[in-house]
Structures are given as C-alpha cells and as structure tokens.
Amino acid sequence: QVQLVESGGGLVQAGGSLRLSCAASGSIFSISAMGWYRQAPGKQRELVATIASAGRTNYGDAVLGRFTISRADATNTVYLQMNSLKPEDTAVYYCNVVSLGVVHWGQGTQVTVSS
C-alpha cells in the first residue's frame, strides 16, 4: 500500500508564496515521475507541474515562470514552490507519484489566495 501525505497548503494574499510538500511511503518502488495537479471548484483537474526521474520538468501554462517543482529521491518527496500567487491559483492541490506504471494520488491540500 502506498501513502502520499501532502502539506503546506493554506491561505495567502495575492503576490505571496507557499511551498507544498508531498511525501510518499509504503510499498513504493522505482518512482518514474512525480507531480502536482489542481482542481478549482467547478473545473476539471489540471496539470500544475511534473518532474521525471531524470529531473526533466513540465509545467502548465498558467504557472510557468512562477512555480518550481523539485524532488528529493532519498525521501520520496516532491515539492512545489509557488511564488507570485494569484487568486486564480485557488484550488485543491493533489500530488501524484508514478511507480511501476501505477499512478498514486494524495488526498489534496487546499490553497486559497485572497485578493
């Protein structure tokens, strides 16, 4: 069984910063990719950022240049540094991990950006 524990969400004013963390534990092997997605009320879940095992990153257009994804393989942890936050970044943020071809999701952490 795989557990993903997210932390770092909260309320911040526009222009501020937050750092999300997601630690994977349990029966997890050979992680090939880790990532963050988000879902705002009434909208579909969308890509925020992913990072492959070789370090290659991919960002959604809405966050490019403001958010940075990174990973610590020793602890199976993925981070999302979010800068210059906007009210439209308000959403539940979910991390995911791809291990042996299986995608595992976290429970989500709320990020709210006030104007």
Side-chain angles (χ1 to χ4, degrees), residues 8-89:
L11 173 65
V12 65
Q13 288 188 333
S17 299
L18 283 174
R19 188 188 193 214
L20 305 183
S21 300
C22 173
S25 62
S27 302
I28 192 158
F29 307 96
S30 300
I31 295 175
S32 57
M34 309 178 84
W36 290 94
Y37 291 74
R38 68 186 184 186
Q39 188 166 18
K43 295 187 177 181
Q44 291 187 333
R45 191 172 295 190
E46 66 173 356
L47 167 72
V48 176
T50 61
I51 183 167
S53 56
R56 185 180 64 224
T57 57
N58 182 45
Y59 293 91
D61 289 342
V63 307
L64 192 62
R66 299 186 297 122
F67 292 9
T68 303
I69 190 170
S70 59
R71 58 190 282 173
D73 290 338
T75 57
N76 292 330
T77 303
V78 60
Y79 302 96
L80 184 69
Q81 178 65 43
M82 304 185 294
N83 298 329
S84 302
L85 283 161
K86 304 175 182 179
E88 51 263 44
D89 293 318

Side-chain angles (χ1 to χ4, degrees), residues 14-15 85-91 112-115:
L85 283 161
K86 304 175 182 179
E88 51 263 44
D89 293 318
T90 295
T112 302
V113 184
S114 63
S115 57

